[in-house]
Amino acid sequence: MTTWLNMSLQDGASPIMEQLIFFHDHTLMIMLMIITTVMYMMTTLLWNKHTSRFMLEGQLIETTWTIAPAIILVFIAMPSLRLLYLMDEIHNPTMTLKAVGHQWYWSYEYSDFTKLEFDSYMIPQEENQASTFRLLDTDNRIVLPMNSPIRLVVTAADVLHSWTIPSLGVKTDATPGRLNQTSFSINHPGILYGQCSEICGANHSFMPITIESVSANNFINWVSSLSE
């Protein structure tokens, strides 16, 4: 999760988020080169005292500043289109999780298991402990196996919500009467935090999302304990 005074993105917990961070840095480097070049040219023009009648026109420089931006856009567009394709593709998921947004809590259903569903509410501030995070921890965490492709189906029962986990690079709108789906894979164990990212009402800030990533064996044991 994000930390105090953190100026960068959260560490990626999925392959997609790692690629998003790489694309972010790649684009920033291109922007840095553009800004450096423009600032150098502006400084040179401000301090240049020379005049020349040959500077009234220049086909070469006009051709250059027309072609160069097009090449730069290609270097930005190609990895961007690749990422958009990867984020939209559903890669043979091993399990499906359904998330339903309510005012103001989340309900979850494990579609591959019988009667495995629960509601997830934020832990009230007066019940917070030293090991919990204010406004981010829930009474029932989502338990998911790591290194497994997971399909997420999102909908809402009342108003618009948005199921968001920044460290996974996942943000899917929950729309009443509509099923939106996405996929992700968690590449390490741990606890991931997120919140509803749609202004859905008075308690919009109080419907967090907590995922606990575990090994496949621990996940099977968790499912078995709930089924008993």
Side-chain angles (χ1 to χ4, degrees):
M1 61 177 294
T2 187
T3 55
W4 179 252
L5 293 179
N6 186 13
M7 298 298 292
S8 60
L9 298 171
Q10 297 184 26
D11 293 337
S14 69
I16 290 295
M17 188 58 189
E18 291 176 350
Q19 290 296 313
L20 285 172
I21 294 174
F22 175 80
F23 175 68
H24 171 267
D25 298 341
H26 166 76
T27 308
L28 278 186
M29 288 303 299
I30 294 177
M31 292 175 61
L32 179 62
M33 289 188 291
I34 294 173
I35 292 173
T36 303
T37 305
V38 172
M39 291 300 296
Y40 170 77
M41 295 177 66
M42 292 180 63
T43 305
T44 304
L45 288 173
L46 286 174
W47 294 100
N48 187 6
K49 303 297 183 182
H50 302 288
T51 57
S52 173
R53 65 186 180 90
F54 296 108
M55 294 180 65
L56 296 178
E57 63 178 44
Q59 281 78 16
L60 179 60
I61 187 64
E62 290 179 359
T63 303
T64 302
W65 71 44
T66 301
I67 296 177
I71 297 175
I72 292 172
L73 288 176
V74 170
F75 276 95
I76 296 176
M78 294 305 293
S80 175
L81 293 174
R82 172 177 168 270
L83 264 178
L84 285 173
Y85 173 77
L86 290 175
M87 293 173 67
D88 191 57
E89 186 73 11
I90 306 295
H91 302 281
N92 296 324
T94 57
M95 61 170 293
T96 300
L97 174 69
K98 181 180 180 182
V100 183
H102 303 269
Q103 289 181 312
W104 285 273
Y105 64 95
W106 293 96
S107 296
Y108 298 101
E109 302 175 12
Y110 288 76
S111 304
D112 302 294
F113 305 96
T114 305
K115 296 182 180 179
L116 183 52
E117 56 186 54
F118 54 85
D119 297 331
S120 182
Y121 291 86
M122 184 192 75
I123 296 178
Q125 297 187 40
E126 57 272 12
E127 298 180 13
N128 278 337
Q129 301 175 359
S131 60
T132 59
F133 290 98
R134 176 179 175 270
L135 304 182
L136 286 176
D137 264 299
T138 56
D139 56 354
N140 291 315
R141 292 175 175 173
I142 311 166
V143 180
L144 294 174
M146 64 179 186
N147 296 326
S148 301
I150 297 168
R151 174 170 52 196
L152 175 70
V153 179
V154 183
T155 187
D158 34 49
V159 298
L160 289 174
H161 300 279
S162 185
W163 199 90
T164 306
I165 300 291
S167 58
L168 291 179
V170 175
K171 183 179 185 297
T172 306
D173 289 339
T175 308
R178 179 184 176 90
L179 287 176
N180 292 328
Q181 74 171 0
T182 186
S183 66
F184 58 88
S185 176
I186 308 173
N187 55 17
H188 63 75
I191 301 176
L192 313 175
Y193 296 95
Q195 287 178 305
C196 174
S197 297
E198 190 73 46
I199 301 177
C200 57
N203 291 333
H204 154 69
S205 302
F206 306 105
M207 48 185 305
I209 305 162
T210 309
I211 294 180
E212 185 173 351
S213 174
V214 298
S215 64
N217 290 334
N218 289 338
F219 176 75
I220 293 172
N221 294 334
W222 177 77
V223 172
S224 301
S225 64
L226 291 181
S227 302
E228 293 177 355

